[in-house]
Amino acid sequence: MYAAVARTIGQPPVYSEFPDPTPDEGEVLIKVTAAALTNLGRLVTYDPDYSIGAELPFVVGVEGVGRLEDGTRVGFAAQRPPYGSMAELSVTLAPLAFPIAEGLGDSAAAAIINAGFSSWLPFASQLNIKAGDKVLVLGATGVAGKMAVQIAKHLGAGRVVALGRNPEALEQLSATTSAPSNGPSRTPSSAR
């Protein structure tokens, strides 16, 4: 297969051939259709502190979208080294391959996986939102913050207060919430 391969930490990856992955027990093989270029992916390739323990060469990339052998379209993350997402094929643990909603393009889906996990994990692992709860989202005008606002509403929060520096983004969030009275609050310009 062809892939973006890191051969030296601190140097750009090269497009070259790399051995095809073979799934181990509990893993799935994915035919990659889109891969995200994230800060984490870049740091693992360029920063020696983030690449400690990485054996060269390796395929770069952390998140992506593709198809399982049965044709199921999935998003995926956390591949088994040395296989990253920027390749024709990748492998990951079966639970880390999740279905992608129809109507969302592969590139867009790959691009929001990182922000989606960042937004979802606090709700899934730390918070127990109950219907009617109040939620405060700081930094709500970034991608992860916007998703956190929507996730809180999806989980039943009665009121979501969104704070951020971008008034236009706050307006967009307010327009997309189901109940206008539960929409995001504006950050005063003096708080920017």
Side-chain angles (χ1 to χ4, degrees):
M1 73 172 174
Y2 283 93
V5 181
R7 299 200 182 281
T8 306
I9 299 301
Q11 297 295 314
V14 294
Y15 179 71
S16 63
E17 289 190 64
F18 199 82
D20 288 3
T22 302
D24 287 341
E25 186 175 333
E27 293 181 331
V28 291
L29 181 68
I30 301 164
K31 183 176 181 182
V32 180
T33 55
L37 178 60
T38 63
N39 286 332
L40 175 59
R42 290 179 58 226
L43 286 169
V44 169
T45 305
Y46 286 98
D47 188 327
D49 291 334
Y50 279 85
S51 57
I52 289 175
E55 293 185 27
L56 295 166
F58 63 87
V59 175
V60 301
V62 180
E63 299 96 8
V65 172
R67 297 215 176 253
L68 300 177
E69 293 178 281
D70 67 3
T72 303
R73 185 169 164 252
V74 295
F76 64 98
Q79 306 75 30
R80 172 178 36 94
Y83 301 104
S85 60
M86 293 188 183
E88 293 178 288
L89 299 170
S90 193
V91 290
T92 192
L93 292 170
L96 297 177
F98 49 89
I100 298 291
E102 292 303 321
L104 181 61
D106 289 355
S107 296
I112 64 171
I113 291 171
N114 185 276
F117 280 139
S118 297
S119 302
W120 178 258
L121 286 176
F123 290 107
S125 65
Q126 302 294 323
L127 305 172
N128 184 17
I129 302 288
K130 294 179 225 50
D133 280 356
K134 296 174 185 160
V135 174
L136 169 65
V137 177
L138 302 175
T141 56
V143 175
K146 288 177 185 177
M147 292 181 83
V149 168
Q150 294 179 22
I151 290 167
K153 292 299 287 181
H154 174 76
L155 293 174
R159 180 169 174 85
V160 178
V161 177
L163 299 176
R165 294 181 180 191
N166 182 331
E168 293 82 20
L170 289 170
E171 274 301 318
Q172 289 174 341
L173 279 171
S174 183
T176 61
T177 57
S178 59
S181 63
N182 291 338
S185 299
R186 273 209 171 125
T187 299
S189 57
S190 60
R192 286 192 229 166

